[in-house]
PDB file of all heavy atoms in Angstrom:
ATOM      1  N   ALA A 147     -12.114 -11.733  -4.886  1.00  0.00           N
ATOM      2  CA  ALA A 147     -12.093 -13.195  -5.000  1.00  0.00           C
ATOM      3  C   ALA A 147     -13.504 -13.736  -4.892  1.00  0.00           C
ATOM      4  O   ALA A 147     -13.899 -14.648  -5.663  1.00  0.00           O
ATOM      5  CB  ALA A 147     -11.209 -13.762  -3.902  1.00  0.00           C
ATOM      6  N   ALA A 148     -14.302 -13.234  -3.952  1.00  0.00           N
ATOM      7  CA  ALA A 148     -15.659 -13.709  -3.775  1.00  0.00           C
ATOM      8  C   ALA A 148     -16.484 -13.473  -5.043  1.00  0.00           C
ATOM      9  O   ALA A 148     -17.327 -14.292  -5.438  1.00  0.00           O
ATOM     10  CB  ALA A 148     -16.316 -13.008  -2.572  1.00  0.00           C
ATOM     11  N   ASP A 149     -16.209 -12.355  -5.667  1.00  0.00           N
ATOM     12  CA  ASP A 149     -16.930 -11.992  -6.904  1.00  0.00           C
ATOM     13  C   ASP A 149     -16.622 -12.967  -8.050  1.00  0.00           C
ATOM     14  O   ASP A 149     -17.464 -13.302  -8.855  1.00  0.00           O
ATOM     15  CB  ASP A 149     -16.537 -10.545  -7.270  1.00  0.00           C
ATOM     16  CG  ASP A 149     -17.424  -9.993  -8.348  1.00  0.00           C
ATOM     17  OD1 ASP A 149     -18.604 -10.372  -8.389  1.00  0.00           O
ATOM     18  OD2 ASP A 149     -16.941  -9.186  -9.165  1.00  0.00           O
ATOM     19  N   ARG A 150     -15.346 -13.388  -8.114  1.00  0.00           N
ATOM     20  CA  ARG A 150     -14.934 -14.301  -9.197  1.00  0.00           C
ATOM     21  C   ARG A 150     -15.255 -15.771  -8.936  1.00  0.00           C
ATOM     22  O   ARG A 150     -15.372 -16.559  -9.860  1.00  0.00           O
ATOM     23  CB  ARG A 150     -13.402 -14.215  -9.355  1.00  0.00           C
ATOM     24  CG  ARG A 150     -12.878 -12.851  -9.724  1.00  0.00           C
ATOM     25  CD  ARG A 150     -12.823 -12.728 -11.233  1.00  0.00           C
ATOM     26  NE  ARG A 150     -12.286 -11.423 -11.594  1.00  0.00           N
ATOM     27  CZ  ARG A 150     -11.787 -11.184 -12.787  1.00  0.00           C
ATOM     28  NH1 ARG A 150     -11.777 -12.110 -13.707  1.00  0.00           N
ATOM     29  NH2 ARG A 150     -11.327  -9.992 -13.080  1.00  0.00           N
ATOM     30  N   LEU A 151     -15.311 -16.112  -7.649  1.00  0.00           N
ATOM     31  CA  LEU A 151     -15.454 -17.535  -7.269  1.00  0.00           C
ATOM     32  C   LEU A 151     -16.823 -18.063  -7.728  1.00  0.00           C
ATOM     33  O   LEU A 151     -17.838 -17.445  -7.415  1.00  0.00           O
ATOM     34  CB  LEU A 151     -15.282 -17.661  -5.749  1.00  0.00           C
ATOM     35  CG  LEU A 151     -15.136 -19.111  -5.249  1.00  0.00           C
ATOM     36  CD1 LEU A 151     -13.783 -19.663  -5.630  1.00  0.00           C
ATOM     37  CD2 LEU A 151     -15.293 -19.123  -3.732  1.00  0.00           C
ATOM     38  N   PRO A 152     -16.866 -19.208  -8.390  1.00  0.00           N
ATOM     39  CA  PRO A 152     -18.187 -19.729  -8.802  1.00  0.00           C
ATOM     40  C   PRO A 152     -18.910 -20.465  -7.667  1.00  0.00           C
ATOM     41  O   PRO A 152     -19.683 -21.376  -7.894  1.00  0.00           O
ATOM     42  CB  PRO A 152     -17.799 -20.686  -9.959  1.00  0.00           C
ATOM     43  CG  PRO A 152     -16.434 -21.129  -9.640  1.00  0.00           C
ATOM     44  CD  PRO A 152     -15.750 -20.011  -8.900  1.00  0.00           C
ATOM     45  N   ARG A 153     -18.580 -20.109  -6.445  1.00  0.00           N
ATOM     46  CA  ARG A 153     -19.168 -20.702  -5.277  1.00  0.00           C
ATOM     47  C   ARG A 153     -19.556 -19.583  -4.307  1.00  0.00           C
ATOM     48  O   ARG A 153     -19.099 -18.452  -4.439  1.00  0.00           O
ATOM     49  CB  ARG A 153     -18.153 -21.558  -4.502  1.00  0.00           C
ATOM     50  CG  ARG A 153     -17.671 -22.729  -5.255  1.00  0.00           C
ATOM     51  CD  ARG A 153     -16.497 -23.389  -4.530  1.00  0.00           C
ATOM     52  NE  ARG A 153     -16.225 -24.650  -5.226  1.00  0.00           N
ATOM     53  CZ  ARG A 153     -16.846 -25.788  -4.919  1.00  0.00           C
ATOM     54  NH1 ARG A 153     -17.690 -25.863  -3.924  1.00  0.00           N
ATOM     55  NH2 ARG A 153     -16.597 -26.873  -5.604  1.00  0.00           N
ATOM     56  N   LEU A 154     -20.349 -19.953  -3.297  1.00  0.00           N
ATOM     57  CA  LEU A 154     -20.722 -18.990  -2.258  1.00  0.00           C
ATOM     58  C   LEU A 154     -19.687 -19.050  -1.127  1.00  0.00           C
ATOM     59  O   LEU A 154     -19.029 -20.078  -0.951  1.00  0.00           O
ATOM     60  CB  LEU A 154     -22.098 -19.358  -1.680  1.00  0.00           C
ATOM     61  CG  LEU A 154     -23.261 -19.315  -2.679  1.00  0.00           C
ATOM     62  CD1 LEU A 154     -24.494 -19.971  -2.085  1.00  0.00           C
ATOM     63  CD2 LEU A 154     -23.530 -17.888  -3.088  1.00  0.00           C
ATOM     64  N   PHE A 155     -19.544 -17.981  -0.395  1.00  0.00           N
ATOM     65  CA  PHE A 155     -18.632 -17.986   0.746  1.00  0.00           C
ATOM     66  C   PHE A 155     -19.263 -18.648   1.989  1.00  0.00           C
ATOM     67  O   PHE A 155     -18.640 -19.498   2.612  1.00  0.00           O
ATOM     68  CB  PHE A 155     -18.152 -16.569   1.079  1.00  0.00           C
ATOM     69  CG  PHE A 155     -16.790 -16.253   0.545  1.00  0.00           C
ATOM     70  CD1 PHE A 155     -16.411 -16.606  -0.733  1.00  0.00           C
ATOM     71  CD2 PHE A 155     -15.841 -15.573   1.318  1.00  0.00           C
ATOM     72  CE1 PHE A 155     -15.139 -16.326  -1.246  1.00  0.00           C
ATOM     73  CE2 PHE A 155     -14.575 -15.274   0.834  1.00  0.00           C
ATOM     74  CZ  PHE A 155     -14.212 -15.663  -0.446  1.00  0.00           C
ATOM     75  N   PRO A 156     -20.485 -18.269   2.365  1.00  0.00           N
ATOM     76  CA  PRO A 156     -21.023 -18.816   3.619  1.00  0.00           C
ATOM     77  C   PRO A 156     -21.578 -20.237   3.460  1.00  0.00           C
ATOM     78  O   PRO A 156     -21.968 -20.615   2.334  1.00  0.00           O
ATOM     79  CB  PRO A 156     -22.157 -17.859   3.983  1.00  0.00           C
ATOM     80  CG  PRO A 156     -22.580 -17.269   2.676  1.00  0.00           C
ATOM     81  CD  PRO A 156     -21.388 -17.287   1.763  1.00  0.00           C
TER      82      PRO A 156
END
Side-chain angles (χ1 to χ4, degrees):
D149 191 32
R150 299 269 183 161
L151 192 71
R153 295 171 172 273
L154 299 168
F155 260 44

